[in-house]
Amino acid sequence: MINPETLNPHLAELDPDFLYHLGLDTSMDLKNMFGDVKYVCMGGSPDRAESFAKKAADELGITMPDGGVVKPIGKTERFSLYKVGNVISASHGMGMPSMLILLHEVAKLLEYAGCRDVKFIRIGTSGGVGVEPGTVVVAEEGVNAKLKPEFEQVELGETYKYPTTLDRQLAREILDVKGDIRAQIGKTMGTDDFYEGQGRLDGALKPRYTVADKMAFLHKAYGTGVRNIEMESAAFAAFCARAGIPGAVVCTTLLNRLNGDQVTSTPAELAQFSDNAQRLVLQYIKAERKKKPA
Ligand code: R2B
Ligand code: URA
């Protein structure tokens, strides 16, 4: 699962390893519970993780045990994790720190379960840059809030940079099955904040920048190929690249940031936007399962 060259050698000393935030540990029969997993689909919200799991069961024709009910596995205090056939649907919370905890624990879980050829796909929401709301952006690359293709992490007081390259072939394969869904390739920018970190002018505090500064930055971002902004892509891309796991970021856009900062769509419109990204990923998984039935 994890590239043997980057797999943490210290894990061999842990017996058991407690995957604390998932409420699972290596004294459990993880091979039996998770050994067949091929896709880990994740998004910020627990509600969306549940709705994706239900749609996956319907679309992939999987009958759940226990009377067909889709139920979370492990504890749900921090994250909600569902398994439907060979697909995991999990929530990761908002922002890179929360998501990295899920990524480390799910990657270890699947390593212990002996999984092979697993793909990680983030299905999220974002602010579009020069694209119509509801458009799904499949990321060709992650960039950080400085528009650089790197994720910066402070470890023991030192800053290290990890490349945010994504699997372009996987991105292309996902886009190829879009059918009637409005979707396109673009760079996705990951920031550490929704308000000032994304150059908004509707936060609680007086920003240091002007409307003109904001627009100049958004146009600059557009010029470098950025088509949407969210809060996880840089760390997600860096984690997958480092672990040797094919990763994709598939985010719907809730608004066009060139036209404003507020998310003004109705709940029904927002649900439709979110469904666009989920459907695209399910169409991809369905197409792959036809090629290699699980
Ligand atoms: C998109 O939406 C959330 C903020 O509203 C955040 O998790 C993200 O990346
Ligand atoms: N999520 C973000 O991080 N930014 C947006 O503008 C919309 C959703």
Side-chain angles (χ1 to χ4, degrees):
M1 229 298 286
I2 301 176
N3 177 349
E5 283 172 26
T6 53
L7 176 66
N8 181 3
H10 299 290
L11 296 182
E13 296 149 23
L14 300 175
D15 188 18
D17 182 358
F18 291 102
L19 307 173
Y20 161 64
H21 303 85
L22 299 181
L24 300 169
D25 69 73
T26 52
S27 75
M28 300 170 176
D29 188 357
L30 299 179
K31 277 197 169 59
N32 189 34
M33 293 164 77
F34 295 101
D36 62 338
V37 169
K38 293 288 178 207
Y39 303 96
V40 179
C41 299
M42 59 187 83
S45 107
D47 286 2
R48 271 191 280 120
E50 185 180 6
S51 73
F52 184 77
K54 287 182 177 160
K55 286 178 203 172
D58 284 352
E59 285 284 321
L60 306 177
I62 291 164
T63 311
M64 300 300 291
D66 289 344
V69 186
V70 170
K71 278 197 273 188
I73 302 175
K75 69 180 187 188
T76 51
E77 188 190 346
R78 300 293 187 181
F79 302 118
S80 293
L81 185 145
Y82 300 84
K83 181 176 179 294
V84 178
N86 63 5
V87 178
I88 280 182
S89 173
S91 64
H92 58 55
M94 284 190 282
M96 306 200 212
S98 176
M99 185 203 55
L100 278 171
I101 296 171
L102 180 85
L103 284 175
H104 278 281
E105 294 187 11
V106 168
K108 288 199 292 177
L109 172 70
L110 300 188
E111 177 69 30
Y112 293 133
C115 296
R116 293 267 172 275
D117 302 324
V118 182
K119 295 183 173 83
F120 280 15
I121 305 176
R122 167 168 143 70
I123 310 169
T125 58
S126 62
V129 183
V131 301
E132 205 182 313
T135 307
V136 179
V137 177
V138 183
E140 60 185 333
E141 182 179 63
V143 296
N144 66 15
K146 299 175 186 168
L147 299 173
K148 296 217 169 100
E150 54 199 30
F151 168 61
E152 291 186 6
Q153 180 160 260
V154 180
E155 300 165 17
L156 304 178
E158 299 289 331
T159 303
Y160 295 92
K161 294 175 181 175
Y162 297 97
T164 51
T165 39
L166 283 162
D167 187 319
R168 287 191 187 211
Q169 192 190 327
L170 176 57
R172 184 47 62 189
E173 285 169 4
I174 294 173
L175 193 74
D176 279 350
V177 298
K178 73 186 178 71
D180 62 354
I181 300 169
R182 197 169 54 244
Q184 64 168 79
I185 293 274
K187 291 185 187 174
T188 299
M189 173 174 144
T191 69
D192 282 332
D193 173 42
F194 181 84
Y195 287 99
E196 292 172 347
Q198 296 183 9
R200 281 187 154 80
L201 290 160
D202 60 348
L205 304 175
K206 183 179 174 187
R208 306 167 78 104
Y209 45 83
T210 64
V211 180
D213 294 336
K214 172 184 98 169
M215 293 314 293
F217 181 82
L218 291 176
H219 282 290
K220 179 177 164 191
Y222 185 89
T224 66
V226 169
R227 292 294 176 271
N228 62 340
I229 306 174
E230 41 79 281
M231 294 177 57
E232 291 84 14
S233 53
F236 178 91
F239 184 94
C240 291
R242 202 174 147 201
I245 298 169
V249 180
V250 180
C251 289
T252 196
T253 54
L254 305 182
L255 73 165
N256 179 358
R257 289 297 314 285
L258 297 183
N259 295 338
D261 295 338
Q262 295 251 304
V263 179
T264 54
S265 302
T266 63
E269 285 168 330
L270 294 174
Q272 180 61 55
F273 294 167
S274 165
D275 185 62
N276 291 348
Q278 292 188 337
R279 254 190 324 128
L280 178 58
V281 171
L282 279 174
Q283 283 177 194
Y284 164 73
I285 294 175
K286 250 171 125 171
E288 287 296 294
R289 281 165 65 98
K290 265 198 198 138
K291 284 190 222 160
K292 305 170 242 165

